[in-house]
Amino acid sequence: MHDGILIGEGVVLDARPASFATRALGALLDAAVTVAVAFVVLLLLGLGLDSLDERWLRTSMVVLVVLFLVAAPAAVETLTRGRSLGRLATGTRVVRDDGGPVRLRHALIRALLGVLELWATAGGVAIAASLSNAKGKRLGDMVAGTYAIRVRGGKGWSVPLRMPPELAAWATTADMRRLPDGLALAARQLIDRAPRLAPSSRAALADEIAARVEPYVAPAPPAGTPAEAFLHAVLHERRDRELARGLRERERAADQAASLHRLPFGVPDPRT
């Protein structure tokens, strides 16, 4: 089984690392957009910059370089959760190593190192690092703990997860640590492929993967639980818990947004 990312709702993303050609094309498109926007901005600011003395002109140029090569890419990547115009066009996304969306810290690290490996060396360092890494990571990805994945071409599962009735009570109260992404994907792939496997291979694989999953769950399932039923219960409960957590975070964000619009100290809102 290859390593990959499995999100709680099932595979919506194709977790395979993006190919070198796809990443390179996305980077070239982003670079072209950056150069075009910078050219237009410099044209608009040209008259104002001409009136500055040499010291302020150098300062202004440094500010513009930081803005276009660091601040803007980091902001775009953070706000779009790993997408950019180039990645939208090529169907890729930058994610954390654990499959989660990139944050400002990750985007800022990638942008800062990108100045060196993408712009200062015309992409030479990034190409060398990417070709030597199994996931195609450039230096910024290695330091930030991110990599680019495909978000097109993924297909859903043909076998849905189900909660075995006899394990529902146990799964609800069990303590389930986060599964390694490759292990979670292996378990989900087994469930999906199980009907097409020979009975002996199906049983052997289920026992093997269940043995690897069991250390992450406490207490252990009831004695005599079939391996496939155990995997169904763990993945089903894991998905439900992630969905519930996402709903709670959404409600919390809505409450915070609503509180920002309320008048302080109990002053009645004139709109109501």
Side-chain angles (χ1 to χ4, degrees):
M1 301 284 183
H2 67 278
D3 193 17
I5 298 169
L6 175 67
I7 61 176
E9 296 82 351
V11 168
V12 176
L13 302 178
D14 184 342
R16 288 176 292 175
S19 67
F20 174 78
T22 302
R23 295 192 307 271
L25 178 59
L28 287 174
L29 291 174
D30 285 335
V33 171
T34 299
V35 171
V37 173
F39 179 74
V40 172
V41 171
L42 288 175
L43 283 180
L44 295 176
L45 296 177
L47 295 177
L49 293 177
D50 289 340
S51 62
L52 297 177
D53 59 34
E54 184 177 353
R55 184 184 62 178
W56 284 107
L57 182 60
R58 288 199 301 267
T59 302
S60 300
M61 295 306 297
V62 170
V63 170
L64 289 175
V65 168
V66 172
L67 175 64
F68 285 112
L69 302 189
V70 178
V76 169
E77 204 163 84
T78 303
L79 295 175
T80 61
R81 297 195 169 192
R83 307 301 297 271
S84 62
L85 289 177
R87 295 191 199 101
L88 282 170
T90 55
T92 59
R93 178 192 298 272
V94 173
V95 297
R96 303 194 307 259
D97 285 339
D98 64 0
V102 293
R103 307 297 185 191
L104 178 60
R105 174 174 62 86
H106 307 95
L108 190 57
I109 291 173
R110 282 173 45 81
L112 285 170
L113 288 176
V115 174
L116 167 66
E117 58 178 330
L118 295 175
W119 295 98
T121 64
V125 172
I127 291 172
S130 182
L131 290 175
S132 64
N133 186 271
K135 289 187 175 181
K137 294 186 175 190
R138 60 179 178 87
L139 292 181
D141 290 312
M142 297 178 192
V143 177
T146 59
Y147 74 111
I149 64 171
R150 294 177 51 186
V151 293
R152 289 179 183 166
K155 59 181 181 180
W157 303 116
S158 59
V159 177
L161 293 175
R162 58 177 179 80
M163 174 62 73
E166 66 275 14
L167 296 180
W170 165 81
T172 302
T173 59
D175 178 20
M176 297 183 182
R177 293 160 51 201
R178 192 185 74 82
L179 297 178
D181 298 308
L183 178 56
L185 183 62
R188 190 61 180 91
Q189 287 178 332
L190 169 65
I191 290 174
D192 200 57
R193 295 170 52 198
R196 302 186 295 274
L197 296 176
S200 58
S201 298
R202 176 174 179 172
L205 282 173
D207 289 341
E208 176 191 347
I209 295 176
R212 293 168 56 194
V213 170
E214 192 167 346
Y216 296 91
V217 181
T225 298
E228 277 191 51
F230 168 65
L231 295 176
H232 266 282
V234 170
L235 295 182
H236 189 283
E237 181 65 22
R238 177 177 181 258
R239 180 193 63 187
D240 286 355
R241 291 184 185 185
E242 289 187 4
L243 288 174
R245 187 182 304 115
L247 290 175
R248 288 195 299 270
E249 291 177 355
R250 183 182 302 177
E251 292 174 357
R252 187 182 306 114
D255 291 340
Q256 291 176 349
S259 67
L260 293 176
H261 293 84
R262 299 194 192 106
L263 293 176
F265 310 116
V267 177
D269 192 332
R271 294 176 297 177
T272 61

